[in-house]
Amino acid sequence: MRFFKYTGLGNDFVVVRAEDVPATLDAVALCDRRFGVGADGVVIVRPLGGNAYEMRILNSDGSVAMMCGNASRCVAKFIRDRLGGDGNAFDLHTLSGVVRTEIRADGLVRVDMGKARDFLGAISLRTDGREFSAETVSMGNPHAVIFTDDAGAVPLEKWGAALEHDSQFPDRCNIEFAQALSREKIRMRVWERGCGVTAACGTGSCATFVAAQKRGLVGAGAEIVLDGGSLFIERERDDASVFMTGAAREVFLGEI
């Protein structure tokens, strides 16, 4: 199988053309960082005609992801550079709906992530003898955003793993710990359901920004500082789409 390795701020993916995918595709084996290619997920891309493409995502544990912001940016670059896509704007059909991407002149990719919505509102979460107040936001996948005074000090591997499986989340949940540095900048670290700790999360950055807007911590746009780099998130008003802008690049290609 021929594959292409892409990264969006350290959130990395094995990207495969649909016609190259074998019937026995094993996402867990492909994503293994010692015995496979190594990645946070596998992305399968299929042309639908014109500027429309289907994007299907498998997490590193083999589960299906409804949507992924960082993968969307990577796939936009993949379509243009490897599939001969015409122009710089592509519509990606995901299990959560259509995501519109545009590759800018500076090489960054801007993505219309659609509208955010609450799915549980503000909730309390408990683990390790601690209680947290979380804002729940859906960006086509579920997120629980917890604001803290020091995101860097959070034992993310411990708390994220436990909170992902909280009884309030029958389908599990992505967990973000965020720290407001200013009205223009938020530090965030993420535990992704089905993946664990990742260097970046596009939908998580959008969810964190929306949660910060709800609390009056930011205005219409802010930089989200992740372990792997920064994303810029914008939303003009509560009922408007959330826009994400950030880097994506090809790392290598090969056969397995």
Side-chain angles (χ1 to χ4, degrees), residues 47-67:
L48 297 177
N51 71 339
Y53 294 80
E54 180 185 68
M55 178 176 77
R56 292 292 179 263
I57 309 156
L58 299 173
N59 292 318
S60 59
D61 69 352
S63 60
V64 175
M66 301 292 288
M67 165 59 184

Side-chain angles (χ1 to χ4, degrees), residues 7 13 15 26 36 38 56 64 68 95 121 161 176 209-210 213 237:
T7 184
F13 306 95
V15 182
D26 187 341
R56 292 292 179 263
V64 175
C68 179
L95 294 177
E176 285 82 22
F209 175 79
V210 169
Q213 269 194 334
R237 58 186 187 278

Side-chain angles (χ1 to χ4, degrees), residues 5 24 34 51 88 112 118 127 154 198 206 215 236 242:
K5 179 71 179 289
T24 55
R34 293 187 180 274
N51 71 339
N88 291 311
D112 181 345
D118 291 339
T127 188
V154 170
T198 60
C206 294
R215 294 198 175 190
E236 292 183 356
V242 181

Side-chain angles (χ1 to χ4, degrees), residues 1-221:
M1 184 182 73
R2 185 173 173 85
F3 69 87
F4 300 80
K5 179 71 179 289
Y6 275 76
T7 184
L9 303 181
N11 195 193
D12 56 343
F13 306 95
V14 174
V15 182
V16 188
R17 293 175 296 206
E19 62 265 31
D20 295 335
V21 176
T24 55
L25 178 71
D26 187 341
V28 176
L30 280 174
C31 293
D32 191 292
R33 297 189 183 277
R34 293 187 180 274
F35 297 101
V37 177
D40 292 322
V42 177
V43 185
I44 302 167
V45 183
R46 182 192 309 274
L48 297 177
N51 71 339
Y53 294 80
E54 180 185 68
M55 178 176 77
R56 292 292 179 263
I57 309 156
L58 299 173
N59 292 318
S60 59
D61 69 352
S63 60
V64 175
M66 301 292 288
M67 165 59 184
C68 179
N70 284 327
S72 299
R73 299 198 316 278
C74 291
V75 168
K77 288 283 189 77
F78 173 71
I79 290 169
R80 188 191 65 181
D81 298 340
R82 293 297 183 180
L83 296 187
D86 186 22
N88 291 311
F90 308 104
D91 291 346
L92 308 182
H93 291 245
T94 77
L95 294 177
S96 289
V98 178
V99 176
R100 293 178 169 83
T101 64
E102 180 181 3
I103 304 172
R104 305 192 321 187
D106 60 5
L108 298 181
V109 184
R110 190 170 191 255
V111 184
D112 181 345
M113 300 287 287
K115 296 180 180 180
R117 64 177 181 83
D118 291 339
F119 68 96
L120 290 176
I123 62 172
S124 293
L125 294 170
R126 296 176 180 81
T127 188
D128 197 25
R130 297 171 181 263
E131 183 171 349
F132 305 98
S133 173
E135 298 284 352
T136 59
V137 180
S138 174
M139 291 300 308
N141 55 2
H143 297 266
V145 182
I146 299 167
F147 287 93
T148 179
D149 293 333
D150 188 354
V154 170
L156 191 57
E157 295 84 353
K158 184 178 183 180
W159 292 353
L163 295 176
E164 174 190 2
H165 295 276
D166 188 272
S167 61
Q168 296 175 86
F169 309 130
D171 296 320
R172 300 185 294 167
C173 191
N174 300 284
I175 307 297
E176 285 82 22
F177 285 89
Q179 176 185 357
L181 303 177
S182 70
R183 284 191 61 80
E184 293 78 34
K185 185 178 292 188
I186 296 174
R187 175 75 170 101
M188 188 270 276
R189 298 175 65 216
V190 59
W191 174 277
E192 291 196 56
R193 66 172 182 174
C195 296
V197 176
T198 60
C201 179
T203 56
S205 296
C206 294
T208 296
F209 175 79
V210 169
Q213 269 194 334
K214 289 173 61 177
R215 294 198 175 190
L217 300 176
V218 296

